């Protein structure tokens, strides 16, 4: 109706007709999904269990095709419903604008004509001499152009406020008001026509090809159709999402949606939900799994080294998600911003009594090392904690840009990351179903500074009971009690051969660890010179590190737990080996066991170690 849409049609339009039609399409979608489930779980499963023959295999092939058809119907009918709801929602604003303009015209005793022009009455005015003059009425045509929009072809601009254009005419005060009403009518109609055209293209694209067979290629088109509907209805869906609200308010919003509304977000706009703190883990996981192939396709289309690195990591992550996992994996966040984002939980963090969230540090980014090694640390922690208490889950949180090179010596990344981490932990505290869940914040390397920065914010880290700091160059405070959980709830693992835990303070001489990490010169046979380690990397004999007191020191006052010393950096040619083994039971069983006991809620069972 784009070309024929008039202000009268817009005024009288019943948008409820679109939503009612959408509800009907939704019923078809639901029935198709239920039928698909019956085909898969009852008919196909029963046949597979009881029959072994060529005819049975042929029947299973036909049932698979039927299941695929039902799946296609479910998806496409759901998209039609979303598009119709979006159309109804988007048309509401221009319709309300039109009705307000018509109400203003009626209040001013103006006449609105079929073509949208507005007539206004004559008015008596006083001229500069005080004499009464009659300002005649007239008719003005509205323009749909916005204030800064150039006139289109043939546009002559606004009509004169001095009707007749010959000689002096007294200015009618109604003229400007009528022009405003006419312009608002024109803009409302233009906006409605543009909305109508956008949705018409989208709905046209959802038409199925002729025939009863849905091929794999047809199913792939569902992604394209979903993207088209998302593009058309994105404003409608996004307007309701409480992005600038607290996690508690977001949870309340999500809980208040109907099942159909929630499914609409998960299928059509998963990127709006997957990273929203305060949304339950099961919903975030479904949203992010739906969004993952879309993000991968976008990165593949974008190209370049950075996109390729992230794309390879996401492919590896998708492979892990598609495999059985113990504990089960939950994808709580994914993104390509900055150095990449990935938040993965081993175990359901909403049902587990004990939940830890581990913040990685220096040079962490969304790449193959993150998927193969960094994520494994959270997995090992989950397995260990579940031996202590089966109701445990462990999260790897790459929700910030960890420093990559020289910025490891600055606090900016930790400050930005700390704010994001607190939002995430607040969401965990809101969605966990236990009355008093036990939450543990874990910071490794520069990630310990990020955790420390989060803890220094007003109110500390939401819901957190214990803090674990491993391989730390300092956390931005000089005392454990300044982290908001009490000194007896701050646990420190610090290997004697971990150079990061001896990172010199600003007042000490030498290039410092940051310089060594980004390319310090090597000595003979590839060995790092002993003098460099002694004077330029290691702490100069006191308990001041780069970012405050050494957390392993007596002055800091945390509870230091036993860890393996790790290999010496010169003798074994591994500069950072001792820094990377805290979570790995096959390398440092004592440290991994201590971390598991803290996360699992039994910190009194840890093996302690003397302070430095």
């Amino acid at each position: 109706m784009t070309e024929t849409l008039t202000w009268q049609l817009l005024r009288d339009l019943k948008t409820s007709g679109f939503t009612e039609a959408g509800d009907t399409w939704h019923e078809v979608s639901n029935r198709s999904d239920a039928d698909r489930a019956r085909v898969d779980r009852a008919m196909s499963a029963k046949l597979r269990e009881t029959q072994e023959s060529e005819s049975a295999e042929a029947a299973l092939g036909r049932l698979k095709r039927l299941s695929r058809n039902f799946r296609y119907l479910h998806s496409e009918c759901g998209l039609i419903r979303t598009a119709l709801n979006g159309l109804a929602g988007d048309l509401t604003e221009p319709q309300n604008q039109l009705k307000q303009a018509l109400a203003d015209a009626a209040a001013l005793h103006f006449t609105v004509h079929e073509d949208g022009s507005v007539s206004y009455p004559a008015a008596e005015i006083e001229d500069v001499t005080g004499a009464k003059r009659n300002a005649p009425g007239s008719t003005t045509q509205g323009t749909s152009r916005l204030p800064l929009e150039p006139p289109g072809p043939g546009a002559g601009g606004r009509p004169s406020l001095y009707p007749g254009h010959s000689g002096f005419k007294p200015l009618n005060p109604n003229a400007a008001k009528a022009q405003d009403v006419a312009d608002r009518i024109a803009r409302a109609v233009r906006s409605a026509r543009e909305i109508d055209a956008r949705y018409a293209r989208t709905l046209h694209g959802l038409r199925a090809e002729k025939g009863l067979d849905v091929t794999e290629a047809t199913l792939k088109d569902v992604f394209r159709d979903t993207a088209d509907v998302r593009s058309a209805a994105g404003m409608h869906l996004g307007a309701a999402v409480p992005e600038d609200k607290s996690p508690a308010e977001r949870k309340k919003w999500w809980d208040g949606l109907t099942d159909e509304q929630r499914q609409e977000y998960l299928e059509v706009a998963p990127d709006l939900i997957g990273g929203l703190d305060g949304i339950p883990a099961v919903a975030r996981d479904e949203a992010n799994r739906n969004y993952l192939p879309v993000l991968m396709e976008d990165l593949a289309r974008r190209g370049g080294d950075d996109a390729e690195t992230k794309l390879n990591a996401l492919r590896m992550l998708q492979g892990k998600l598609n495999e059985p996992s113990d504990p089960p994996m939950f994808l709580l966040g994914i993104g390509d911003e900055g150095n990449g984002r990935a938040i993965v939980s081993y175990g359901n963090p909403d049902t587990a009594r004990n939940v830890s969230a581990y913040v990685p540090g220096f040079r962490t980014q969304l790449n193959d090392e993150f998927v193969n090694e960094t994520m494994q640390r959270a997995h090992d922690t989950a397995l260990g904690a579940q031996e202590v208490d089966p109701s445990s889950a462990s999260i790897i949180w790459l929700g910030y840009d960890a420093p990559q090179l020289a910025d490891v010596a600055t606090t900016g990344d930790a400050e930005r990351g700390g704010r994001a981490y607190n939002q995430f932990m607040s969401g965990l505290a809101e969605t966990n179903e236990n009355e008093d869940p036990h939450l543990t914040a874990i910071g490794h390397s520069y990630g310990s500074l990020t955790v420390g920065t989060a803890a220094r914010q007003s109110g500390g880290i939401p819901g957190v009971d214990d803090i674990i700091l491993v391989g730390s160059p300092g956390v931005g405070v000089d005392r454990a009690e300044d982290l908001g959980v009490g000194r007896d709830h701050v646990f420190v693992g610090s290997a004697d051969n971990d150079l990061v835990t001896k990172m010199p303070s600003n007042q000490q001489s030498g290039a410092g660890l940051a310089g060594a990490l980004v390319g310090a010169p090597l000595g003979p046979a590839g060995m790092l010179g002993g003098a460099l380690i002694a004077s330029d990397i290691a702490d100069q004999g006191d308990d001041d590190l780069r970012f405050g007191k050494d957390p392993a020191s007596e002055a800091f006052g945390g509870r230091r737990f036993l860890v393996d010393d790790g290999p010496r950096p010169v003798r074994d040619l591994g500069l950072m080996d001792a820094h990377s083994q805290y979570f790995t039971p096959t390398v440092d069983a004592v440290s991994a066991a201590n971390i598991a006991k803290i996360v699992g809620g039994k910190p009194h069972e840890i093996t302690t170690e003397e302070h430095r």
Side-chain angles (χ1 to χ4, degrees), residues 14 482 549:
K14 302 296 184 184
D482 294 334
K549 289 292 183 186

Side-chain angles (χ1 to χ4, degrees), residues 309-470:
T309 297
K310 293 171 181 173
L311 177 59
N312 288 337
L314 292 179
R315 286 171 176 158
M316 296 167 63
L317 177 57
Q318 186 179 54
K320 288 181 176 293
L321 290 167
N322 290 338
E323 297 171 356
S325 174
D326 181 29
M329 295 174 65
F330 291 80
L331 187 58
L332 304 182
I334 199 75
D336 63 342
E337 58 266 37
N339 297 320
R341 301 287 186 267
I343 306 172
V344 178
S345 180
Y346 291 93
N348 188 334
D350 290 347
T351 58
R353 284 190 299 271
N354 306 288
V355 183
S356 67
Y358 152 50
V359 184
F362 177 60
R363 302 199 74 168
T364 305
Q365 59 179 307
L366 186 58
N367 57 13
D368 56 354
E369 181 180 344
F370 174 81
V371 179
N372 284 332
E373 299 179 18
T374 312
M375 283 174 50
Q376 184 62 41
R377 295 171 185 170
H379 190 201
D380 287 337
T381 298
L383 291 173
Q386 287 191 348
E387 291 183 6
V388 178
D389 183 345
S391 183
S392 297
S394 177
I395 299 168
I396 169 66
W397 184 83
L398 183 58
Y400 81 124
D401 281 330
Q404 299 298 301
L405 293 173
D407 52 346
V408 71
T410 65
T411 62
D413 290 330
E415 290 165 2
R416 290 181 289 272
R419 291 190 290 271
Y421 186 70
N422 275 356
Q423 279 284 305
F424 177 75
M425 296 303 288
S426 178
L428 280 187
E430 289 294 335
T431 58
N432 191 282
E433 299 169 6
N434 292 277
E435 184 176 348
D436 186 22
H438 171 239
L439 303 184
T440 303
I442 305 177
H444 174 230
S445 186
Y446 188 92
S448 68
L449 177 63
T450 303
V451 168
T453 303
R456 297 201 317 270
Q457 295 182 22
S458 177
I461 304 175
V464 163
D465 302 284
D466 294 311
I467 293 176
I468 300 175
L469 310 169
V470 289

